[in-house]
Amino acid sequence: MSKHATHATTDPTTEPPVEHLLEIDDLSDDDLAEIVSSAEDLKQAHHRGEPHAVLPNQSLAMLFEKPSTRTRVSFETGMTQLGGHAVYLGPDTTHLDHGEPVADTARALSRYVDAVMARVFDHDKLAEMAAHASVPVVNGLSDAAHPCQTLADLFTIYEEFDGFEDVSVAWVGDGNNVGQSFAVGSAMAGLDLTMATPDGYEPDEEVLARAADRGPAPKVTHDPETAVADADVVYTDVWVSMGEEDERETKLGDFEGFQVNSDLLATAPDADVMHCLPAHRGEEITGEVLESDRALVWQQAENRMHTQKALLTHLLGEE
Ligand code: CP
Ligand code: NVA
């Protein structure tokens, strides 16, 4: 019997505590190592066409308040490949968007599915969902964090550098949800991270403190050139995240000088470039850099599926 397979049919109040992934540091260092190693195995099995249906008959509810290409499709195909099933609940498809409380939604879904993945505007909604769900809740992106992205990012770096040792990464741009989870995750992996953001767009102090609790503290600067000099990897994300459309004009001005382009990369000629996608060519990154051989973005996007399958196996698989 799986760790959570009984939740849909038995009284959740008698079940042991449930493991959620709301933030990347909900994972222990051992969990992270296990997920990276399992993602490697699952990726090989997938590429060789070997069946790996280790979660037969398990179901995942996928709640989305915002659009998604990668997160939705990688979770859905991932569940299918694991022998399970995913239910897409897009914006405006459930009663959650029409006044049904988060707690009631969480309790109802827990009676049907083995895990819930949710993409929400407000991170607090995830915490409330987790407080009332009797199955694992996975953050598929909130205003504060994108831990599933970080799993794929770390696995991509691990693949490229044969591990995490002596790898230095420059984050250039907004200290946003993707950057915040990456800051904590890279500390957990032991990466040397420097984040260059415009003044006022640094990751939250609380996030930086959590990162420092788990590994090498990320360095923060307002000078992209300092961050990028001699980096092994340069990582950026959009300047205007979903839900921030009203701030667009202000942010485009504030982020001037933070574009990842060939001039900025001149001091890191061998650096790989990462982007979680979708990218806005001509804003945070040039089309030239994104389309160049140094960009790992498609590998990163593919790795969303392998790392999430590893995560689901970790949360739902056999003990
Ligand atoms: N990187 C990422 O989460 O992409 P989607 O918005 O397409 O899911
Ligand atoms: N920071 C971006 C990431 C999209 C995957 C956003 O929140 O819109």
Side-chain angles (χ1 to χ4, degrees):
M1 184 61 74
S2 81
K3 277 192 265 184
H4 301 288
T6 53
H7 287 160
T9 51
T10 59
D11 179 358
T13 58
T14 62
E15 293 290 306
V18 177
E19 188 180 353
H20 303 290
L21 182 75
L22 305 193
E23 301 274 8
I24 190 70
D25 49 340
D26 289 340
L27 298 172
S28 68
D29 292 351
D30 285 349
D31 292 337
L32 178 62
E34 177 207 315
I35 288 168
V36 166
S37 157
S38 160
E40 203 169 22
D41 294 343
L42 287 162
K43 186 170 184 175
Q44 275 184 14
H46 178 71
H47 284 193
R48 287 185 191 138
E50 292 164 6
H52 46 280
V54 295
L55 298 180
N57 300 317
Q58 301 219 36
S59 296
L60 172 73
M62 308 188 300
L63 263 171
F64 282 92
E65 291 184 345
K66 308 180 188 183
S68 167
T69 299
R70 282 144 286 268
T71 304
R72 182 212 169 152
V73 178
S74 55
F75 265 108
E76 189 161 338
T77 52
M79 268 313 268
T80 302
Q81 290 164 23
L82 292 171
H85 174 67
V87 183
Y88 175 67
L89 301 167
D92 213 28
T93 60
T94 68
H95 291 287
L96 188 60
D97 295 324
H98 296 276
E100 184 167 23
V102 174
D104 294 7
T105 306
R107 285 179 290 184
L109 289 178
S110 297
R111 297 293 178 131
Y112 307 130
V113 299
D114 301 285
V116 175
M117 185 275 292
R119 168 168 286 194
V120 298
F121 283 97
D122 181 357
H123 189 85
D124 290 346
K125 197 178 264 188
L126 283 173
E128 198 181 346
M129 202 170 280
H132 295 279
S134 51
V135 298
V137 174
V138 174
N139 181 355
L141 180 145
S142 68
D143 55 341
H146 198 1
C148 293
Q149 182 66 52
T150 302
L151 289 177
D153 299 340
L154 293 178
F155 179 49
T156 304
I157 290 170
Y158 178 88
E159 286 184 313
E160 279 305 294
F161 295 89
D162 269 336
F164 297 119
E165 216 171 311
D166 297 327
V167 181
S168 67
V169 184
W171 173 273
V172 179
D174 199 2
N176 61 12
N177 44 9
V178 174
Q180 296 207 128
S181 288
F182 187 75
V184 179
S186 56
M188 289 164 64
L191 298 172
D192 173 11
L193 174 66
T194 304
M195 303 185 82
T197 74
D199 197 7
Y201 292 99
E202 305 82 7
D204 291 347
E205 285 297 332
E206 176 266 337
V207 170
L208 292 171
R210 275 175 29 224
D213 268 356
R214 294 296 295 266
K219 299 174 273 283
V220 179
T221 168
H222 300 309
D223 177 7
E225 274 156 27
T226 306
V228 165
D230 299 324
D232 298 308
V233 177
V234 177
Y235 192 169
T236 190
D237 181 21
V238 292
W239 292 340
V240 183
S241 284
M242 291 180 277
E244 295 182 340
E245 291 77 10
D246 290 351
E247 299 166 48
R248 182 172 173 77
E249 286 316 311
T250 311
K251 289 191 90 172
L252 290 188
D254 292 346
F255 282 79
E256 220 170 287
F258 283 78
Q259 184 185 69
V260 174
N261 55 34
S262 46
D263 285 348
L264 181 64
L265 294 173
T267 55
D270 299 324
D272 291 323
V273 170
M274 294 176 65
H275 192 306
C276 62
L277 303 178
H280 289 184
R281 291 167 173 81
E283 290 185 16
E284 76 279 0
I285 191 165
T286 56
E288 183 197 0
V289 169
L290 193 74
E291 299 294 344
S292 68
D293 287 348
R294 56 171 46 198
L296 302 178
V297 298
W298 307 116
Q299 184 179 340
Q300 249 181 297
E302 178 185 332
N303 284 341
R304 291 292 305 277
M305 185 174 76
H306 305 303
T307 46
Q308 287 158 195
K309 284 165 71 180
L311 172 70
L312 290 165
T313 307
H314 168 77
L315 293 173
L316 302 176
E318 300 281 333
E319 293 278 10

